[in-house]
Amino acid sequence: MQGNPLRAADLRVHNQNMVLSLIHAATPTGISQSEVVQKTGLKAPTIFRIFSSLEEEGLILPLDADAEEVVSRKGRRPVFYVVAKNARYTMGIEFWTAFLSLGVFNFQGQRIYSVMHPLKEGVKADEVIDFMVGEVNRVLTELSLPKERVIGIGVAAPGQVDLEQKRVRYYPRIEGMKDIALVDELESRLGLPVIIHNNCSALALSEYRHGGYEHDGSMFTFLLRTGVNGAFVDHDEIYVNSMNQTIETGHIPINSDGPRCSCGSRGCLQAYLQDLDPQSVAQRLALFEELDTSLQAGDLRAQRTIERAAGYLVIAMKIIMRLLSPKSFLFVCCCDTISDALCDHVRRLISEPDAFCGEIPQIFGTAYDPLLAQRGASDLVLQDFFR
């Protein structure tokens, strides 16, 4: 008997979050109470009560102040509601060996602040964490954002991320970034909820949702920076393995007798790509970044390098196609010149279906945009909040 009030309270919270999620998703065009009744199956008095409560809390507001006027014989015109843009905020952070970027978003998903910082060579894990804490506190003060209005912070971290344990399992390019309880550390020092995911996964989700690609609901994204990783988004969900860990595409074995990889194995996809461009890796530049000008000038050596990179990537793609059958692939590179050249070669190499692939996937390319990575991390906060 004592458990019933708790279950009833949980149900109320669930229903309110469900309604708020629908209103949030309908912004900026808005949604009416009658539409929410149809979408949720909840009774009209329940929806009215939830709308009233959300409006009293300042979380939602009518889209049109004049909307309640009687405009037809059928009665009142429906009032459309949107979330109040300054009612809540989210923060998205992405980092890797060379940079850390941070963005702040209002409740309507509009970016109100963004900054990108280079990280010093040889930076250690504890220094990155200290820097994140300092930046979050600085930005909260600068924007005069009360913590009670911040839903949470999304952290898009490099390397393999354990979502169950909320840890970065391993990222060799930052010293000490191994089995780091990043969420616990940040939450204890900032007093805010923290959501963690892999940075490629956050970027892939953002490109899937906001990139404008005709991906048919299924897109695998390769991110090429100093290393390479991949993430699969299918029907708006990021794929993770059975242990609730992000996948490590850069360490797909291409050839067991290949070059030594930073993970300790031989012949990983990442090792092959880095072996094509050791100078960029040594300088902490994105892979093939220095080939931009050469490619534009028609340099044959640069073209051959990209062609070889495409060949290695296609080997990994075919493995992924056998296992996951994505309907499209996106290559995110340092610039459009590299991504365009890479995509041209990839399309040529997979132009014919084989026995296991009856349909050739769409191939897209784009330049890396830190703002999309921030937004992906922010979206993960909202996704968790509305769950």
Side-chain angles (χ1 to χ4, degrees):
M1 293 292 292
Q2 293 180 349
N4 289 336
L6 180 61
R7 287 197 296 270
D10 289 343
L11 182 60
R12 284 195 295 272
V13 171
H14 168 78
N15 288 341
Q16 180 163 307
N17 284 346
M18 177 171 59
V19 170
L20 184 57
S21 175
L22 289 172
I23 300 170
H24 184 274
T27 304
T29 56
I31 191 170
S32 68
Q33 293 188 31
S34 59
E35 287 177 304
V36 173
V37 169
Q38 293 174 359
K39 288 179 179 291
T40 63
L42 296 174
K43 296 183 181 299
T46 301
I47 294 300
F48 175 78
R49 184 174 64 251
I50 292 174
F51 267 71
S52 298
S53 176
L54 293 173
E55 192 169 7
E56 287 175 9
E57 291 181 53
L59 293 172
I60 66 172
L61 47 79
L63 184 62
D64 184 354
D66 298 324
E68 293 190 22
E69 293 180 2
V70 178
V71 296
S72 73
R73 290 176 299 174
K74 294 183 179 180
R76 295 181 182 275
R77 184 173 64 186
V79 181
F80 291 89
Y81 286 81
V82 295
V83 294
K85 65 180 181 179
N86 296 321
R88 295 291 184 270
Y89 299 90
T90 57
M91 303 180 77
I93 297 175
E94 191 229 356
F95 72 95
W96 54 299
T97 183
F99 285 93
L100 182 146
S101 69
L102 182 153
V104 182
F105 301 79
N106 65 25
F107 205 24
Q108 292 186 357
Q110 300 161 336
R111 184 182 297 105
I112 63 171
Y113 182 89
S114 179
V115 66
M116 191 167 182
H117 295 287
L119 296 176
K120 67 179 183 179
E121 188 170 358
V123 68
K124 295 179 173 58
D126 58 347
E127 294 174 321
V128 174
I129 295 171
D130 289 343
F131 186 64
M132 273 194 279
V133 171
E135 273 298 282
V136 170
N137 285 326
R138 180 189 67 79
V139 171
L140 289 174
T141 300
E142 182 177 327
L143 299 181
S144 300
L145 296 183
K147 284 189 176 182
E148 59 269 20
R149 289 197 179 186
V150 179
I151 295 172
I153 304 168
V155 177
Q160 187 172 44
V161 175
D162 188 325
L163 304 179
E164 188 72 29
Q165 300 296 323
K166 302 178 181 179
R167 291 171 174 263
V168 178
R169 292 197 67 228
Y170 183 52
Y171 180 62
R173 298 192 66 81
I174 294 179
E175 184 180 339
M177 192 63 70
K178 184 176 182 179
D179 199 28
I180 294 289
L182 194 55
V183 170
D184 290 345
E185 180 74 14
L186 292 175
E187 286 186 340
S188 65
R189 295 176 63 177
L190 291 169
L192 289 168
V194 175
I195 302 297
I196 190 172
H197 220 297
N198 169 262
N199 51 13
C200 183
S201 298
L203 178 63
L205 180 67
S206 191
E207 291 281 11
Y208 176 97
R209 291 180 173 179
H210 312 297
Y213 303 102
E214 294 182 4
H215 48 57
D216 200 19
S218 172
M219 187 165 75
F220 193 99
T221 297
F222 281 101
L223 173 61
L224 278 68
R225 289 201 286 210
T226 50
V228 58
N229 202 357
F232 181 42
V233 180
D234 185 46
H235 291 88
D236 207 42
E237 291 291 334
I238 301 170
Y239 175 84
V240 295
N241 66 24
S242 63
M243 299 177 67
N244 206 17
Q245 298 169 351
T246 59
I247 57 178
E248 275 296 303
T249 310
H251 300 283
I252 290 177
I254 300 300
N255 184 343
S256 60
D257 294 323
R260 180 73 68 180
C261 182
S262 60
C263 71
S265 300
R266 283 190 177 275
C268 295
L269 171 64
Q270 176 169 289
Y272 270 101
L273 294 180
Q274 289 180 336
D275 204 43
L276 289 175
D277 191 18
Q279 187 173 351
S280 290
V281 175
Q283 296 178 13
R284 298 197 307 157
L285 299 175
L287 285 167
F288 316 121
E289 187 169 344
E290 292 195 322
L291 297 183
D292 183 9
T293 303
S294 300
L295 279 174
Q296 292 187 43
D299 182 78
L300 290 178
R301 181 176 295 181
Q303 291 176 4
R304 290 194 196 100
T305 298
I306 296 300
E307 186 174 9
R308 290 178 64 191
Y312 296 138
L313 284 161
V314 166
I315 295 173
M317 287 173 63
K318 288 186 175 181
I319 295 172
I320 292 164
M321 289 160 68
R322 302 286 190 274
L323 298 174
L324 301 174
S325 299
K327 296 178 180 178
S328 61
F329 284 88
L330 171 67
F331 292 91
V332 180
C333 302
C334 58
C335 62
D336 289 328
T337 303
I338 302 298
S339 65
D340 289 347
L342 194 62
C343 287
D344 286 343
H345 287 300
V346 167
R347 290 189 187 101
R348 177 177 57 80
L349 291 170
I350 65 163
S351 59
E352 297 292 334
D354 57 29
F356 300 96
C357 177
E359 183 177 320
I360 301 300
Q362 291 287 322
I363 305 297
F364 308 114
T366 190
Y368 165 73
D369 184 351
L371 303 182
L372 278 176
Q374 294 170 7
R375 184 164 186 178
S378 169
D379 281 354
L380 289 168
V381 173
L382 290 171
Q383 188 170 294
D384 182 78
F385 177 69
F386 290 130
R387 187 164 291 160

